[in-house]
Amino acid sequence: MAKMQEKPAIWPFGGYISAFLFAAYLCASLKTGCMTGQKSVKTDQYQGHDYYLMDELLSQDHLMARDAVRDWVKQEVSPIIEDYSNRAACPTHLFKGLAEIGAYGPSLPVEYGGGGMDEIAYGVIMQELERGDSGIRSMASVQGSLVMYPIFRYASEELKKKYLPKLGSGEMIGCFGLTEPDHGSNPGGMVTKIVDDGDAYILNGAKMWITNSPVADLAVVWAKDEEGKIRGMIVESGWKGFSAPEIHGKWSLRASITGELVFEDVRVPKSHVFPDVKGLKGPLSCLSKARYGIAWGAVGAALDCYDSALRYSKEREQFGRPLAGFQLTQKKLAEMITEITKAQLLVWRLGSLANEGRATPAQISMAKRNNVFMALEIAREARQIHGGMGITNEYPIMRHMMNLETVLTYEGTHDIHLLITGQDVTGLNAFS
Ligand code: TGC
Ligand code: FAD
């Protein structure tokens, strides 16, 4: 089994630097921001839930990062997210804020625009962001894991220096183009291609379902060369022949912007094509990084649904007593916290393996599949506990539930991840 990646660079003081930045950010926003009552908004009453005392397994750096992002989400995301989702609008102003809290590439080296923290810090940050909304976590995971990570890992030093600091600071936004209209689960069948033309390649083709593409300054694009080998490249959105029309009509991930990528004779300088990686393992290595973050993120969405259901069931009375006092409600709540706790243990162990460079793609697939499905089931149960109120945007449940339908599908569908586990344990490929 292939390893997730080489041992990540952990910068000795990176975590403290990031924690300091978080604290400075929070002080500033408390003075100037939404706490001053500029806008009437619902209070986000979320509290974390830690049934198995998992916090004892986290370092001070992890806890500071987690708490700072939680506070940021309460101040910047919760007050606006229902409105943006309702309007199917992307809160693009948050791209900069996400950079300020260190959400882009938390485990990439500081000198390359990352946070210099470890993989568990990356995980807890994704968890807190997705607790707010899966689309906000998407904004961060595409930028960090699918754009900065491949540039960090595969691009020339010159291009790393050119793009990574701007991506890390949110000055530039990136997207990741792998999926095509006719090649989703099977990206190896892609038809987007590059043809040699002297000092450049000519890129033609189309990508579909690309998070952030309509607002992106650049795309990391995967296309086949004349030998049929998959190559990765950085393509700037301003180049002639590049367009990125928005996809409308999504009932899921409505606060995240999604589009196509269309390439019509785009001239890509040869220096922009990653020199040393050929084949599907290039894009799949980036997906491992992003799927890992989603496995953590889904726990956040589940926690938010559980938290809301627990509170609602204690407050809402029927037949003269709180819903929480009925055995059937308790069964739902008890099963929810059991599944959340199992998922928390899974990602914590996965994070420990990732810190040692030992997390395999198949282990990551298992965690992504289990935790996203778990979160979706919890959203459904939480919706029932909220009764009719559960379908409104007074509560976050339906938004999470609709979002999780996408999360179940992107970065490899629920069934594709099952087949990856099946292949890993049997040694037999059941894909094709
Ligand atoms: P297969 O023969 O299995 O593998 C080809 C080569 O890749 C290697 N490999 C990996 N390397 C690194 N990381 C991984 N996770 C890897 N998985 C496989 C493998 O060892 C092999 O290497 P080599 O040296 O032998 O060439 O390839 P296959 O064609 O049979 O396909 C396997 C399959 C179906 C599992 C794969 O294609 C797959 O994962 N399909 C799902 C596609 C997918 O996940 N697309 C996601 C698009 S991006 C996205 O959704 C972003 S959402 C963003 C947001 O958060 O908003
Ligand atoms: P298909 O591949 O057509 O699958 C349809 C169904 O068939 C699924 O249930 C699948 O599990 C099943 N199936 C397929 N093959 C098999 C098999 N061999 N055996 C059994 N069942 C099978 N992609 C990017 O490249 N970049 C992005 O930024 C990005 N963002 C996205 C954002 C959103 C909102 C969405 C919805 C998608 C995004 N994607 C992105 C694309 C995403 O990765 C694909 O949708 C996903 O990989 C599935 O591909 P598909 O939709 O073509 O479904």
Side-chain angles (χ1 to χ4, degrees), residues 177-183 187-195 202-208 221-226 228-231 233 235 261-264 266:
L178 179 65
T179 305
E180 298 188 351
D182 294 329
H183 302 94
M190 70 174 66
V191 293
T192 297
K193 61 176 188 194
I194 49 172
V195 174
I202 306 301
L203 172 67
N204 275 291
K207 300 287 175 180
M208 179 81 174
V221 177
W222 302 91
K224 281 186 177 159
D225 65 16
E226 285 157 284
K229 297 260 166 48
I230 294 174
R231 308 291 301 271
M233 62 210 74
V235 184
L261 288 172
V262 182
F263 311 112
E264 290 171 307
V266 179

Side-chain angles (χ1 to χ4, degrees), residues 161-179:
K161 291 207 170 102
K162 178 173 180 190
Y163 293 116
L164 289 176
K166 289 184 179 168
L167 289 162
S169 67
E171 198 181 322
M172 288 185 103
I173 300 304
C175 66
F176 178 87
L178 179 65
T179 305

Side-chain angles (χ1 to χ4, degrees), residues 336-414:
M336 284 182 193
I337 193 63
T338 304
E339 291 307 314
I340 288 171
T341 302
K342 284 152 67 178
Q344 286 171 321
L345 286 162
L346 194 59
V347 284
W348 182 82
R349 176 62 184 151
L350 186 68
S352 304
L353 290 170
N355 275 343
E356 295 168 8
R358 292 199 293 144
T360 67
Q363 287 168 336
I364 293 167
S365 283
M366 180 186 282
K368 190 270 184 183
R369 178 177 186 273
N370 181 80
N371 288 11
V372 176
F373 189 70
M374 174 279 302
L376 190 50
E377 291 284 287
I378 282 178
R380 289 178 180 143
E381 291 290 90
R383 214 289 302 149
Q384 287 200 61
I385 289 176
H386 286 77
M389 290 308 290
I391 69 158
T392 71
N393 63 8
E394 279 294 299
Y395 295 91
I397 314 298
M398 277 300 278
R399 181 170 47 77
H400 281 307
M401 196 195 299
M402 293 193 299
N403 284 344
L404 288 163
E405 289 291 344
T406 286
V407 185
L408 196 74
T409 287
Y410 70 20
E411 301 268 6
T413 69
H414 190 63

Side-chain angles (χ1 to χ4, degrees), residues 2-4 134-135 137-139 141-142 146 153-154 176-179 184-189 209-212 253 256 278-291 294 360-362 364-365 406 409-413 416-417 419-420 423 429 431-432:
K3 286 186 176 176
M4 175 188 177
S134 301
R137 195 267 308 133
S138 256
M139 288 163 84
S141 50
V142 168
L146 295 180
R153 186 153 172 196
Y154 299 123
F176 178 87
L178 179 65
T179 305
S185 296
N186 177 27
W209 293 118
I210 308 304
T211 300
N212 294 344
L253 228 62
S256 166
K278 289 186 184 175
L280 209 47
K281 60 177 178 281
L284 289 178
S285 66
C286 311
L287 292 182
S288 283
K289 192 91 176 152
R291 291 166 176 173
I294 291 175
T360 67
I364 293 167
S365 283
T406 286
T409 287
Y410 70 20
E411 301 268 6
T413 69
I416 288 295
H417 288 296
L419 294 175
I420 290 172
Q423 181 179 21
N429 175 346
F431 296 108
S432 48

Side-chain angles (χ1 to χ4, degrees), residues 102-134:
Y104 299 149
S107 58
L108 294 180
V110 174
E111 70 193 69
Y112 291 113
M117 293 186 278
D118 70 2
E119 299 296 339
I120 292 184
Y122 165 39
V124 296
I125 290 171
M126 294 303 122
Q127 175 188 292
E128 291 307 315
L129 292 178
E130 194 144 5
R131 203 285 296 175
D133 189 81
S134 301

